[in-house]
Amino acid sequence: MWHIPLGLPAPLLKRLYSTLSPGEQQRCDRLRSETLKQRFVASHGLLRKVLGGYLQTDPAQLVFSPGRTGKPSLSSSAPGFQFNISHSGDLALYAVSRELTVGIDLEKIRPVQNLTPLTKRYFTPAEHSAINSLPPDEREKAFFKAWVLKEAYVKATGEGLAGLHGLEVSCSGSCGVPAPLILKDRPGKASPAWSALSFEPSPGYVAALVVEGGHFRAIHCHEGPDISTADDQPGRRD
């Protein structure tokens, strides 16, 4: 798992922009806000940098293809290699695995207008009740904690928003510990097919990682990558 600050100086952003595909550059250029453009370049350019390090490949030569539901994957040149990305505010997170399907989601905690109607409409009755029974100053964090768990799950499975209807997550409890994913076809029991972990990657943010399988293997956390030189290999670090 990679923890990526997106505030980069202009010379590094220019270098990363040059590694993007023509399609990515067009997407970036269509963004109206300069801040959004900078975050796009940083998040997508550093993703190429990280994956290129793992695969010993020039980041600019990596080819991505969208799946049936839009989840990006690498071309057939990297069979079995899995990754997922999320960014919010000035931070991005990447999850990378050589074997297991992964999903990751990140949100910066912020005020939510009409929180109670939102949870009633989009969350299960149990989730709605759990969030709105909390003290007012705890509800927004609980809302985002539940939301990132749901998003990380559907990003891992590739089901898209349709997958949310059959899922119930924990809205309380501590971050940094495994969180059960309850599927409606298995009432009261956590899914054996997926493991979920909610955590706080930086103050003011919540995130969730979902991994294929009933338990987590070792998770290696990295800061960076260092892009001060052109030939470093971030994926080779322990």
Side-chain angles (χ1 to χ4, degrees):
M1 186 163 60
W2 289 80
H3 180 280
I4 309 289
L6 297 180
L8 300 178
L12 296 183
L13 289 172
K14 183 177 180 180
R15 185 195 307 174
L16 291 173
Y17 182 88
S18 70
T19 69
L20 302 181
S21 70
E24 288 172 323
Q25 291 179 351
Q26 291 172 8
R27 287 171 58 194
C28 176
D29 294 343
R30 286 196 296 266
L31 296 172
R32 296 184 178 182
S33 163
E34 191 62 31
T35 297
L36 292 178
K37 290 180 180 180
Q38 293 171 358
R39 289 173 179 170
F40 183 97
V41 172
S43 61
H44 288 76
L46 290 175
L47 175 66
R48 286 179 169 273
K49 180 75 170 171
V50 167
L51 296 180
Y54 282 106
L55 299 171
Q56 301 294 285
T57 301
D58 180 353
Q61 299 303 312
L62 294 174
V63 178
F64 299 96
S65 58
R68 179 175 54 85
T69 58
K71 182 181 181 181
S73 62
L74 287 166
S75 66
S76 58
S77 60
F81 198 87
Q82 304 284 334
F83 72 93
N84 203 226
I85 175 176
S86 183
H87 54 87
S88 180
D90 294 319
L91 182 64
L93 296 177
Y94 308 151
V96 181
S97 173
R98 294 188 182 274
E99 301 175 0
L100 303 176
T101 302
V102 293
I104 197 163
D105 197 60
L106 167 72
E107 287 287 351
K108 184 175 183 179
I109 300 173
R110 55 194 184 275
V112 179
Q113 299 294 325
N114 303 315
L115 188 147
T116 298
L118 276 176
T119 57
K120 186 174 183 179
R121 180 175 181 181
Y122 293 108
F123 286 14
T124 69
E127 292 165 343
H128 169 75
S129 176
I131 291 173
N132 288 282
S133 65
L134 293 171
D137 60 344
E138 298 179 19
R139 291 176 189 171
E140 286 167 348
K141 182 176 181 179
F143 170 83
F144 283 112
K145 178 188 174 186
W147 185 255
V148 295
L149 282 167
K150 288 172 173 285
E151 281 286 317
Y153 170 77
V154 298
K155 290 173 71 176
T157 62
E159 296 177 14
L161 294 178
L164 295 177
H165 299 297
L167 176 69
E168 185 169 285
V169 301
S170 171
C171 303
S172 58
S174 301
C175 287
V177 297
L181 299 174
I182 308 299
L183 303 183
K184 289 185 177 179
D185 60 357
R186 293 174 56 84
K189 297 181 179 180
S191 169
W194 302 96
S195 298
L197 180 72
S198 63
F199 59 101
E200 298 178 30
S202 290
Y205 290 83
V206 291
L209 174 67
V210 171
V211 178
E212 181 183 14
H215 62 279
F216 282 103
R217 300 182 183 183
I219 300 175
H220 300 279
C221 298
H222 305 275
E223 296 282 343
D226 178 9
I227 57 173
S228 58
T229 61
D231 57 354
D232 58 325
Q233 300 291 340
R236 300 175 63 181
R237 302 189 326 184
D238 291 329

